Amino acid sequence: EEPPWADEDPGCSAPRRGPPTAPVKQDEVERLRAAMDELPPLQREALWLHSSEGLSFPEIAARLGLTLKQARWNVYKAKYRLSQNLDH
């Protein structure tokens, strides 16, 4: 049985999959952008590659010329800083 959100999109031959997405408020988007802008460039790039492009830590390390440990640390640190900035 299909989940309730797997209804057909008339413009697409394949059914949509995944849970419904909640609308994102513009102020939340702006807060996230501002918090991302506050990250050091290397942390911002590592987090973007991991979260948005789906790269693994070894792939991030190769792309940015880092060790595996440095790639993991930069993603971790970026997530930590974002959580700190967005909680305030």
Side-chain angles (χ1 to χ4, degrees), residues 7-36:
D7 55 328
E8 294 288 334
D9 180 356
C12 181
S13 61
R16 277 189 310 145
R17 301 277 184 220
T21 57
V24 178
K25 295 178 183 173
Q26 188 61 34
D27 62 322
E28 292 173 348
V29 172
E30 293 304 321
R31 284 184 63 224
L32 180 58
R33 283 186 183 149
M36 288 287 291

Side-chain angles (χ1 to χ4, degrees), residues 36 39-57 59-61 63-64 66-68 70-79:
M36 288 287 291
L39 294 175
L42 188 57
Q43 290 177 15
R44 184 172 51 243
E45 181 72 10
L47 180 61
W48 179 262
L49 292 172
H50 185 68
S51 299
S52 296
E53 295 190 21
L55 269 59
S56 66
F57 292 118
E59 291 169 324
I60 294 168
R63 173 90 57 99
L64 299 179
L66 303 172
T67 65
L68 181 58
Q70 289 170 325
R72 284 187 177 139
W73 185 88
N74 277 284
V75 171
Y76 164 78
K77 194 65 172 177
K79 287 180 179 182

